[in-house]
Amino acid sequence: MKLLIDTNVLLDMVLKRNGYDISVKLFRKIREQGILACITASSVTDLFYIIRKETHDTERTYVIMENRKDYKDVSLSVLTPAEWLGLDGQY
């Protein structure tokens, strides 16, 4: 099974908005059942824009978007955008 995750579900978790606990339960179930969770490419840019707007800090936004320790319990490979593009150390 593949599951497309809405941008707002991720924002609920990152920004700890109303519904945060439901989003956490969703991702636990995804992990437990081995479901492939995906987001759209436009969600990545939307997430960056909204997180930057909420935090008023571009550097902090990069840290949030590339923070692997938040995903330590995830059984999927977690890559930063630079790693996925094969640009490690080249930017």
Side-chain angles (χ1 to χ4, degrees):
M1 170 189 272
K2 293 180 185 177
L3 187 62
L4 182 64
I5 305 295
D6 183 74
T7 305
N8 286 299
V9 173
L10 294 167
L11 287 170
D12 289 346
M13 287 180 43
V14 171
L15 302 175
K16 296 188 177 172
R17 301 188 311 189
N18 188 20
Y20 167 79
D21 57 329
I22 296 169
S23 297
V24 170
K25 288 177 187 176
L26 171 69
F27 278 95
R28 282 188 183 134
K29 189 168 189 166
I30 288 169
R31 183 182 65 217
E32 290 166 2
Q33 295 187 6
I35 296 170
L36 177 61
C38 306
I39 62 173
T40 64
S42 63
S43 288
V44 175
T45 56
D46 292 345
L47 286 165
F48 185 87
Y49 173 81
I50 294 167
I51 293 168
R52 183 175 53 87
K53 184 177 172 189
E54 290 292 319
T55 64
H56 305 286
D57 187 339
T58 301
E59 290 303 314
R60 184 170 174 214
T61 302
Y62 278 114
V63 169
I64 291 168
M65 296 288 290
E66 296 184 0
N67 189 359
R68 285 191 195 175
K69 71 179 183 191
D70 290 342
Y71 306 100
K72 66 182 179 219
D73 296 327
V74 176
S75 60
L76 301 171
S77 297
V78 177
L79 303 173
T80 65
E83 289 170 333
W84 189 82
L85 293 169
L87 300 175
D88 261 356
Q90 299 177 29
Y91 56 96

